[in-house]
Amino acid sequence: MDAVEDPQDVEHVARRFAAAVDAQDWHALSELLSPTFSARYVHTGETFTRESFVAANRDYPGAQRFVLEDVVASVDQAVLRARVSPVSGTGDTYYVASFATVRDGLVEDLVEVWTDVVATEPPPHRAGGTPA
């Protein structure tokens, strides 16, 4: 039976994950992922191992900011919400929700749901909405 994680520890792992991605510290990111880590991108159906997940992030063209906007943790899971945008300030901004399972202080499983490019205004058919 797996050890029960403290939700504060799980949140700390999630925050370290976000900080490593934001700093583009691929060694630190790799160290936070379990040797049996698996990840899945819902929007494309891609799956990743620890090594291929780090490589996918490392090899993404252009430097990106990964700004953590919210994190919620439970006994062994954390949900992160982040804004991802170019360091240069020019280019597309995306949002991602990351659902992580944490065991023994490492991310064991990750499911990410990415948005399309963020619109600057609501669509015309939705009257009354206020852009964020």
Side-chain angles (χ1 to χ4, degrees), residues 9 32 36 57 75 113:
D9 294 339
L32 285 169
T36 58
N57 281 275
V75 174
V113 182

Side-chain angles (χ1 to χ4, degrees), residues 15-92:
R15 289 183 181 281
R16 287 177 47 216
F17 172 90
V21 174
D22 185 50
Q24 299 182 18
D25 186 342
W26 310 126
H27 177 74
L29 177 61
S30 182
E31 292 293 312
L32 285 169
L33 306 179
S34 165
T36 58
F37 171 83
S38 66
R40 181 170 58 93
Y41 287 174
V42 171
H43 61 295
T44 63
E46 294 170 279
T47 59
F48 301 90
T49 64
R50 175 171 67 179
E51 293 77 16
S52 64
F53 182 77
V54 172
N57 281 275
R58 179 192 65 226
D59 298 341
Y60 191 83
Q64 303 290 315
R65 292 295 320 270
F66 187 92
V67 179
L68 183 62
E69 294 192 336
D70 196 13
V71 61
V72 177
S74 70
V75 174
D76 65 350
Q77 295 183 319
V79 178
L80 296 83
R81 181 175 50 86
R83 182 181 69 251
V84 181
S85 56
V87 169
S88 68
T90 304
D92 295 329

Side-chain angles (χ1 to χ4, degrees), residues 63-127:
Q64 303 290 315
R65 292 295 320 270
F66 187 92
V67 179
L68 183 62
E69 294 192 336
D70 196 13
V71 61
V72 177
S74 70
V75 174
D76 65 350
Q77 295 183 319
V79 178
L80 296 83
R81 181 175 50 86
R83 182 181 69 251
V84 181
S85 56
V87 169
S88 68
T90 304
D92 295 329
T93 296
Y94 300 87
Y95 286 87
V96 60
S98 302
F99 302 83
T101 301
V102 176
R103 289 194 182 90
D104 300 322
L106 299 173
V107 179
E108 179 72 27
D109 182 70
L110 182 71
V111 175
E112 290 194 333
V113 182
W114 287 80
T115 64
D116 286 333
V117 175
V118 174
T120 57
E121 294 185 24
H125 70 277
R126 239 186 356 241

